[in-house]
Amino acid sequence: LLASAEPGAREALTAGQTASNAAYSGYLQARGLMQRHDRPGHAQAAIALLEKAVEEDPDYALAHPALAEAHWRRYEETRDAEEVGLARESAQRALALNQRLGPVYVTLAMLERGTGHPGEAVQHAEKALALDPLSADAHGERARALEALGDMLGAEEAYRQAVRLRPNDWSAFNQLGAFLNARGRQAGAREAFARVTQLTPDN
């Protein structure tokens, strides 16, 4: 696949990578933990792995937005405002290393939406989608920001697009379920939450 891709596509596929096996291994382990960010302690464990990854390779661009997300998840768990500052530092470091990585803008969208700036969050999510139109995470963050702005039609379509792109992601269904429940659409919410429990019975 890589050999047959156009030059721009090859660059996109390899952007932000590392030559350090240790850094890559830590990144993969951390991403695995963050797939179940609902579990206590997972964010802190991911932070430890990602801090070691960026020590191994400070220029590992993909590790920095992952570290930013882990700090944000830790903030959601503890409400320790210091975690927000650490998340922003990691996100800005990622941006300084590479401005063409979709995950950087997804993380920035997460931070802006979570700190009360949904307009900026939409802009970041749309930058992520311009770089990677198939990013379920970007669609999900765009949905949450649009919901905060009161664009319910746009939000619902974005939530549903995230589910279509990643049909085995409990978090995407959880967000859709919460959205529908808040709109008083309990039947649809129950269906979405049932899918969450199918995918993660221990959630």
Side-chain angles (χ1 to χ4, degrees), residues 60-146:
Y60 186 7
L62 276 178
H64 290 280
L67 181 55
E69 180 185 347
H71 277 300
W72 177 256
R73 298 298 186 189
R74 180 69 177 152
Y75 165 73
E76 290 182 324
E77 186 179 332
T78 65
R79 293 299 161 181
D80 181 352
E82 183 180 359
E83 297 291 346
V84 179
L86 292 169
R88 287 196 182 280
E89 285 179 20
S90 293
Q92 290 303 317
R93 174 61 179 155
L95 205 57
L97 286 168
N98 193 323
Q99 296 185 12
R100 292 191 54 77
L101 290 177
V104 176
Y105 296 102
V106 172
T107 305
L108 287 168
M110 185 182 298
L111 291 173
E112 294 298 347
R113 188 263 313 157
T115 55
H117 305 101
E120 289 87 340
V122 170
Q123 292 175 18
H124 286 307
E126 289 178 349
K127 283 182 182 177
L129 288 168
L131 292 165
D132 180 6
L134 300 180
S135 169
D137 291 331
H139 282 289
E141 285 305 323
R142 181 171 176 271
R144 298 178 80 179
L146 289 173

Side-chain angles (χ1 to χ4, degrees), residues 143-144 146-148 150-160 172-186 188-189 192-193:
R144 298 178 80 179
L146 289 173
E147 181 181 0
D151 180 358
M152 300 309 168
L153 289 175
E156 180 171 351
E157 175 51 32
Y159 280 124
R160 292 192 181 280
F173 281 98
N174 197 54
Q175 290 177 9
L176 175 61
F179 172 82
L180 294 172
N181 189 57
R183 311 277 83 74
R185 294 161 61 185
Q186 276 75 33
F193 289 136

Side-chain angles (χ1 to χ4, degrees), residues 20-53:
S20 167
N21 288 334
Y24 182 60
S25 176
Y27 170 79
L28 286 182
Q29 290 178 63
R31 292 307 313 173
L33 287 168
M34 294 305 294
Q35 286 177 1
R36 288 302 307 272
H37 57 77
D38 58 304
R39 289 182 171 176
H42 273 209
Q44 188 59 49
I47 288 169
L49 286 164
L50 290 163
E51 284 180 342
K52 183 149 183 61

